Amino acid sequence: MTAVPLRLPRRLIEFTLDGQETRVPEGSTILEACRAAGKDIPTLCQGDTLTPKNACRVCVVEVAGARTLAPACSRRAEAGMTVLTGSERARHSRKVVLELLASATDLSTTPRADEWIKEYEAKPARFGAGAARVNEEPKVDNDLYVRDYDKCIQCYKCVDACGEQWQNTFAIAVAGRGFDARISTEHDVPLTDSACVYCGNCIEVCPTGALSFKSEFDMRAAGTWDERAQTETTTVCAYCGVGCNITLHVQENEIVKVTSPHDSPVTHGNLCIKGRFGFQHVQNRV
Amino acid sequence: MDLKHTDAAPTDAEREAVDSLLGPPPSGWEGGTTRSDEDLRWARGGASAAKDRRDQLLPALHAVNDRIGWISEGALGYLCRRLTVAPAEAYGVATFYAMFSLRPRPPKVLHVCTDLACAARGSAALCADLTRDFAPAGTATEGATWQESPCLGLCERAPAALLIQAGEQPRSARPADPARPAFEDRGPGGGAHGYGRGREGEQRAAGAPHRTAVIAPATPAALTHAIRSPEHTPPQPPPETAVPQTGSPGLVLLKRIGTTDPASLDAYRASGGYTALRRAFALGPAGVIREVLDAGLVGRGGAAFPTGRKWEATAGQPDTPHYLVCNADESEPGTFKDRVLMEGDPYALVEAMTVAGYATGARQGFVYLRGEYPRAYERLSHALETARTRGLLGPDILGQGYAFDIEIRRGAGAYICGEETAIFNSIEGQRGEPRSKPPFPVEKGLFGKPTAVNNVETLVNVLPVLEHGAAAYAATGTGTSTGTKLFCVSGQVAAPGVYELPFGASLRELLELAGPPQDLRAVLLGGAAGGFVRPDELDIPLTFEGTRAAGTTLGSGVVLVLDGSVELPRILLRIAEFFRDESCGQCVPCRIGTVRQEEALHRIKDRTGAAAADDIALMREVGQAMRDASICGLGQTAWNAVESAIDRLGVYK
């Protein structure tokens, strides 16, 4: 059991969520209120360990009286607010955003993307075969992880995790502008020449699989990646005395990737290069 | 923060360009070439130093770009060491702005405007001729290259071009130079253009000077001549040539343009300057705000938010310091009024900002000026300097114990930086991406502190409010749109320029002043983010409520007049291309939506009726999502003009 630090008690505020009077602690986002009420709203750029950038706009909801829709992930609920999560306007925007994303990027490894595309009846193909795509080749420049920016939706989570929110390494940033904006190292140098320390925390937060373990990338290419056949075992990293929790993902008795529980009060899902990638010695069988 | 810097070394010229802005490096930790014993004992830098100086990133990128013409790996690396910025972040910032190049390019770059007003006045033919007579766009020839550019804000003299020659700054323009000689005053229309003009004696033998030249209206011959010998380009006409009403009675905001020397503080004071500030001191900050509220002054940037309420909200914030930001990043295609105000009456802006700063409790003001306005930069810099020496800016203004100063920050080619929160990011040395609101700027703005943001025209309106009182000001215009409004009339009219009319005048009256074309096809009102109006709708009253009722907007005051010779589908395509180019790329509806709209417009550019219906329906759906779900005004309004062309003009019928 992980110890969860108790916060100071917060006042409750009252607002209307889809016609229901709802009470949430002051400072809660609309998304938190929705989840507490059992409502499922699609989100991509929202992450449990990061401040949401609200850039993907799939979680928009309608706030009565507002000119535009509001991102549920970062708009805080206010007393007396009236929120509609499933209004026609909100559903239309979510549908179009999913269509736009799927027409420009590869969402094949994005969890739940297929399900949402069906739910909102999004038809990415209607922009035509000539619709501009991100069209990036996977960047394989080291043995630990792969950057496949064709799958990148520019949610900024990796940049935030690499930068001031967690790792403070600042190896990657958004470069360029508009449709040509890309996550990039300085002057687009290979990771091996960049400031990257291979903590892999960017992979931990990537919502689309644009960043992945080299092991996963190779197995997907070979057609042997099978998530359903994998077991997950959470244990303690043995490299140093900090005692970070690591979760080993094992397929056919081989460790295929390592994650870390986000609710751990020590790491919040973050690891270092050893915990994240230093697992080969476990499976050296002579 | 544990920064890893690159190994690329700057050249001497690059190092000097940066040091001329930041001063010599204080230690080996900040990019100094030698390390002293003390350096080895004490480590300086770290997160706090980075936080303190990050806002110098954009000026430092300008310093290198101005001197060298592009930003090399070595130069960017040196900047990062000097400012304790991560190289990947600085690269992300540098690649955000269109005026910077991260690849080698010749020192001379000619920007040829192909935006709405220039397109309507033949920029396409101009580009074709330039390709034939000189070289194709983007090719380095004879130490120069040319490229197509979004609106340069010279619409009254369309088609227009701006030449920028990288090189050494004249000594007088170096911020690090403590004994900066006074501006060489040539009076209005003296043709002082380009920072390097008339300073040959001071230029070093080492290289060509940094210089800018505006060529408008441009002919193919004038452009090739300017590329080959920028030093011999004819001077620009004085700012009042953009004001056809010069000297007429009834002008309020434009009254000094063409009648008062913009380079002379004495002339400004003789024409009634600084009476508003004196009145402000007499009223006190709360009194000024009350006066502005009573006058009913609303923002002229397009949103029409009551200025007094914005000031009141900023002034009342307990957090300190407060900041004042003047939005002078006028980049809406077809807009040039702020340029004309800053070039023709710069002290008015300085005085108005001082009043605004006083009212909102700010001690520091920033003018975020678009990078493509060299003459406005020069005139405004000069005005700030003289105001400072005469005690009208600085620690004790007019002996009233109020301290206030103004700094100009140059933009670098990004329309989005005119969005009020994108300005903050840009000044802070981040990518110019808009922030989510709430929190609003009055609460958390520049550097996370309460900030009032007003554009140039709004601020200048404060002067008549204080000079003549709220009641007199509110007597002009209509009940909810008080005062006068500046309109930028361009396109196919006899006398393009900035016009000032009381709110409530009709579009027809405005066009009559400018000389409308025989076969008026349409008027684009409010710019690329505005809407089209038909020739039979010219009785629309030019007020915020009147245009809203007519289903259009005043926006930033653009009145682009198109006659029958203009191919509307091409103009729409240009609008779509503009938004696709200028989207910051942060949110999905705008980043991808603008691309999908441009694609659809391409498909139907020669189609009508049923053949275009599917794509129009597609654009409507995408446009609705962009309007509803984009983070900022750019994405929210990108579909407006095209939609109005379809619905009101029936372009594809």
Side-chain angles (χ1 to χ4, degrees), chain B residues 158-394:
Chain B
L162 170 69
L163 184 99
I164 300 173
Q165 173 176 306
E168 257 184 67
Q169 296 282 345
R171 291 226 158 164
S172 61
R174 289 188 183 183
D177 194 343
R180 206 163 147 179
F183 177 80
E184 193 179 39
D185 187 5
R186 303 183 187 194
H193 74 293
Y195 317 178
R197 273 307 176 88
R199 296 255 159 222
E200 271 78 14
E202 285 184 0
Q203 279 141 23
R204 293 189 192 174
H210 176 254
R211 171 185 279 139
T212 59
V214 165
I215 308 103
T219 58
L223 289 185
T224 40
H225 175 71
I227 284 191
R228 292 197 169 115
S229 49
E231 64 280 12
H232 295 124
T233 45
Q236 281 195 70
E240 64 265 26
T241 50
V243 182
Q245 291 165 301
T246 291
S248 0
L251 294 183
V252 180
L253 309 175
L254 299 176
K255 68 177 176 191
R256 269 186 283 261
I257 296 180
T259 60
T260 307
D261 181 352
S264 162
L265 181 52
D266 290 323
Y268 178 71
R269 297 185 75 154
S271 70
Y274 280 101
T275 48
L277 183 61
R278 285 179 195 283
R279 174 110 199 284
F281 284 136
L283 290 169
V288 174
I289 292 174
R290 200 177 320 115
E291 202 78 355
V292 173
L293 276 171
D294 291 347
L297 174 63
V298 299
R300 305 293 199 240
F305 189 82
T307 305
R309 268 173 53 204
K310 191 185 273 187
W311 288 10
E312 198 171 35
T314 310
Q317 293 292 327
D319 197 5
T320 54
H322 295 185
Y323 290 105
L324 173 75
V325 173
C326 168
N327 184 350
D329 189 67
E330 176 180 60
S331 315
E332 180 76 31
T335 320
F336 48 96
K337 61 191 168 63
D338 290 350
R339 189 200 83 224
V340 172
L341 283 174
M342 288 184 286
E343 288 179 350
D345 195 9
Y347 289 104
L349 180 59
V350 177
E351 183 187 357
M353 283 184 72
T354 313
V355 172
Y358 178 65
T360 55
R363 293 171 145 243
Q364 174 72 49
F366 288 91
V367 179
Y368 189 84
L369 177 68
R370 70 176 301 212
E372 293 90 337
Y373 281 178
R375 183 159 72 173
Y377 179 75
E378 187 187 25
R379 292 274 163 96
L380 205 54
S381 303
H382 171 65
L384 291 178
E385 239 166 82
T386 42
R388 219 170 273 141
T389 43
R390 300 271 288 271
L392 293 164
L393 282 177

Side-chain angles (χ1 to χ4, degrees), chain A residues 53-57 60 67-71 74-75 78 89-90 92-93 95-97 99-101 103-105 126-128 130-133 152-154 156 159 163 168-181 184-189 191-197, chain B residues 1-6 71-74 76-77 86-89 91-93 95-98 102 412-416 431 433 436-438 580-593 595-596 599 603 617-618 620-622 624-632 636:
Chain A
K53 184 81 180 165
N54 65 70
C56 78
R57 317 302 276 188
V60 286
R67 189 172 46 85
T68 56
L69 301 175
S74 54
R75 177 63 59 85
E78 290 161 32
R89 264 177 88 194
H92 172 79
S93 279
K95 178 189 97 149
V96 172
V97 164
E99 281 174 342
L100 292 172
L101 274 178
S103 68
T105 52
R126 70 194 181 117
F127 298 116
R133 288 185 56 86
C152 175
I153 60 162
Q154 315 245 14
Y156 292 69
V159 176
N168 272 283
T169 291
F170 300 94
I172 46 174
V174 181
R177 193 166 81 189
F179 196 74
D180 299 325
S184 172
T185 56
E186 68 272 19
H187 307 283
D188 207 14
V189 296
L191 271 190
T192 44
D193 295 339
S194 77
C196 179
V197 297
Chain B
M1 183 151 58
D2 175 26
L3 296 187
K4 184 189 169 201
H5 292 291
T6 58
I71 298 159
S72 71
E73 261 189 74
L76 194 73
E89 285 208 333
Y91 178 76
V93 172
T95 52
F96 188 83
Y97 296 98
L102 279 291
Y415 170 74
I416 187 60
R431 290 163 57 79
E433 292 169 352
S436 271
K437 294 183 277 190
R580 186 257 295 145
D581 268 350
E582 298 296 338
S583 168
C584 78
Q586 189 182 199
C587 70
V588 174
C590 181
R591 178 176 77 231
I592 309 177
V595 175
R596 297 291 174 253
E599 289 167 350
R603 283 195 291 267
L618 188 74
R620 278 189 207 281
E621 282 202 33
V622 173
Q624 187 57 44
M626 287 168 69
R627 188 172 285 160
D628 276 344
S630 296
I631 290 180
C632 80
Q636 288 160 11

Side-chain angles (χ1 to χ4, degrees), chain A residues 223-241:
Chain A
T224 54
W225 181 261
D226 183 2
E227 222 150 291
R228 277 168 308 176
Q230 291 169 10
T231 58
E232 292 177 21
T233 309
T234 299
T235 178
V236 176
C237 177
Y239 274 106
C240 76

Side-chain angles (χ1 to χ4, degrees), chain A residues 46-127:
Chain A
Q46 187 267 346
D48 52 356
T49 64
L50 293 162
T51 307
K53 184 81 180 165
N54 65 70
C56 78
R57 317 302 276 188
V58 292
C59 71
V60 286
V61 295
E62 190 166 346
V63 176
R67 189 172 46 85
T68 56
L69 301 175
C73 67
S74 54
R75 177 63 59 85
R76 303 200 181 283
E78 290 161 32
M81 207 181 214
T82 302
V83 176
L84 295 171
T85 63
S87 72
E88 202 185 322
R89 264 177 88 194
R91 289 186 65 89
H92 172 79
S93 279
R94 274 180 230 155
K95 178 189 97 149
V96 172
V97 164
L98 287 166
E99 281 174 342
L100 292 172
L101 274 178
S103 68
T105 52
D106 171 9
L107 296 183
S108 62
T109 50
T110 303
R112 301 194 64 189
D114 278 347
E115 175 194 329
W116 292 327
I117 283 173
K118 273 195 200 87
E119 181 188 339
Y120 289 95
E121 294 171 5
K123 295 183 183 63
R126 70 194 181 117
F127 298 116

